[in-house]
């Protein structure tokens, strides 16, 4: 080892390693993607707090009966559609309520658990994390969508819907739906769905960060092993052209 290793180290230092250059470029790309993901996560946290503020503003609106909306709901009561879960033909007037109940019924049949609770720094209200003593696992559903451990509160007669109204699907008008929440079928469970949308995007960003961290670990491990003792002793680079330090084969023009 003392006779061969110094020569191999000298050869390693003289000839540039193309794999090492590729590894450095991959690390730079991974670091850029990590920064973008962290920025995205911060934006989603801000969006989370903005949504909570919008929900609070909507709850402060006074209740107002809209005769035109009630008339439109009565006119649409005869229209039929099919439930995406059970396939049953239902009235469009109560389609959202029926589909939500079907989703809860089927979701309760499945279990999503982990042996360890979630510990994410800076994350607010993400996973359910209720411990089940029977399965000895922590629930890993989204907290706002978990049908087992988080039930929707009862709606009072004087509670307002409070859903932000939009024009042409995406243009926010700044107004809120002021129908009683127990009557409004158009915006059924809108708070839960909006919260779930934000939380799901946060989970995707966290999964992306975990994937990038694993990629970085693999690249760094490969770069470390490439210049290790065993690799230097077992492998040798033969430099056929002493006039050039670039050992890559070049295509003749």
């Amino acid at each position: 080892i003392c006779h061969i290793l110094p020569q191999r180290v000298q050869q390693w230092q003289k000839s540039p390693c193309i794999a090492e250059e590729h590894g450095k470029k991959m690390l730079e790309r991974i670091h850029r993607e990590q920064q973008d993901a962290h920025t995205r996560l911060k934006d989603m946290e801000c969006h989370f707090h903005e949504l909570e503020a919008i929900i609070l503003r909507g709850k402060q609106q006074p209740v107002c009966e809209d005769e035109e909306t009630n008339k439109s709901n009565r006119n649409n009561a005869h229209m039929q559609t099919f439930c995406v879960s059970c396939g049953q033909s239902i009235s469009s007037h109560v389609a959202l309520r029926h589909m939500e109940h079907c989703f809860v019924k089927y979701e309760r049949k499945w279990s999503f658990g982990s042996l360890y609770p979630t510990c994410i720094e800076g994350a607010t209200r993400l996973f359910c994390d209720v411990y089940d003593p029977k399965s000895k696992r922590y629930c890993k559903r989204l907290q706002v969508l978990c049908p087992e451990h988080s039930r929707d509160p009862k709606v009072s007669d004087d509670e307002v819907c409070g859903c932000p109204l939009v024009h042409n699907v995406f243009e926010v008008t700044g107004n809120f739906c002021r129908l009683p929440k127990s009557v409004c079928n158009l915006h059924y469970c809108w708070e839960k769905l909006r919260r779930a949308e934000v939380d799901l995007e946060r989970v995707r960003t966290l999964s992306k960060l975990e994937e990038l961290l694993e990629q970085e670990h693999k690249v760094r491990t490969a770069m470390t092993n490439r210049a290790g003792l065993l690799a230097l002793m077992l492998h040798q680079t033969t430099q056929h052209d002493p006039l050039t330090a670039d050992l890559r084969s070049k295509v003749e023009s």
Side-chain angles (χ1 to χ4, degrees):
I1 295 178
C2 296
H3 179 69
I4 299 176
L5 186 59
Q7 297 179 2
R8 298 292 172 84
V9 172
Q10 188 177 7
Q11 291 177 358
W12 172 265
Q13 293 175 349
K14 283 185 177 181
S15 58
C17 181
I18 305 304
E20 195 78 9
E21 296 178 4
H22 289 328
K24 292 179 180 179
K25 291 181 180 179
M26 289 181 64
L27 285 178
E28 292 177 358
R29 177 186 60 81
I30 291 173
H31 290 162
R32 287 196 301 268
E33 293 184 3
Q34 285 177 339
Q35 291 178 358
D36 295 340
H38 281 295
T39 303
R40 176 65 176 168
L41 191 59
K42 290 181 181 179
D43 293 341
M44 294 308 300
E45 286 290 335
C46 294
H47 191 190
F48 164 80
H49 293 291
E50 290 175 359
L51 178 60
E52 294 299 323
I54 291 174
I55 293 175
L56 183 60
R57 285 177 53 198
K59 290 182 178 180
Q60 296 173 352
Q61 302 298 316
V63 178
C64 178
E65 290 283 352
D66 191 347
E67 294 296 334
E68 294 183 1
T69 304
N70 293 335
K71 183 178 179 180
S72 176
N73 290 336
R74 288 192 296 267
N75 293 335
N76 294 333
H78 66 279
M79 298 179 62
Q80 297 290 317
T81 186
F82 293 94
C83 176
V84 296
S85 298
C86 66
Q88 181 181 350
S89 177
I90 53 177
S91 172
S92 299
H93 183 63
V94 294
L96 291 178
R97 293 179 182 271
H98 176 89
M99 291 180 185
E100 178 66 20
H101 293 323
C102 271
F103 168 78
V104 170
K105 181 176 66 175
Y106 287 108
E107 187 72 10
R108 284 178 177 172
K109 297 180 180 179
W110 300 93
S111 177
F112 302 91
S114 174
L115 294 174
Y116 305 100
T118 304
C119 183
I120 302 175
E121 184 178 357
T124 309
R125 193 207 67 214
L126 203 55
F127 294 105
C128 178
D129 271 337
V130 173
Y131 182 73
D132 186 4
K134 293 183 179 180
S135 61
K136 297 182 180 180
R137 280 172 168 77
Y138 294 88
C139 180
K140 291 304 172 184
R141 292 188 182 95
L142 289 179
Q143 184 179 355
V144 293
L145 291 180
C146 183
E148 291 186 70
H149 310 113
S150 61
R151 296 183 178 180
D152 297 333
K154 292 184 178 180
V155 179
S156 59
D157 295 335
D158 58 346
E159 186 174 353
V160 69
C161 173
C163 180
L165 300 179
V166 294
H167 177 66
N168 292 333
V169 182
F170 299 108
E171 299 177 9
V172 180
T173 61
N175 299 324
F176 296 87
C177 177
R178 296 167 59 187
L179 285 175
K181 197 170 187 178
S182 58
V183 177
C184 184
N185 293 310
L186 185 61
H187 308 124
Y188 182 70
C189 288
W190 73 271
E191 304 104 321
K192 182 168 70 173
L193 297 178
R194 292 282 187 90
R195 285 168 173 162
E197 183 181 2
V198 175
D199 291 351
L200 182 59
E201 189 63 30
R202 292 159 67 200
V203 170
R204 288 173 178 170
T205 307
L206 290 170
S207 299
K208 181 66 175 178
L209 282 173
E210 185 177 359
E211 180 183 349
L212 291 172
L213 187 62
E214 185 177 355
Q215 291 180 10
E216 182 183 5
H217 176 70
K218 289 182 179 179
V219 173
R220 290 191 180 277
T221 302
M223 293 175 66
T224 303
N225 295 336
R226 195 173 294 120
L229 174 62
L230 187 61
L232 290 175
M233 292 295 294
L234 296 179
H235 303 286
Q236 181 181 8
T237 301
T238 303
Q239 187 172 354
H240 298 282
D241 188 1
L243 299 179
T244 179
D246 192 350
L247 304 181
R248 288 175 291 185
S249 59
K250 298 180 180 179
V251 180
E252 296 182 359
S253 57

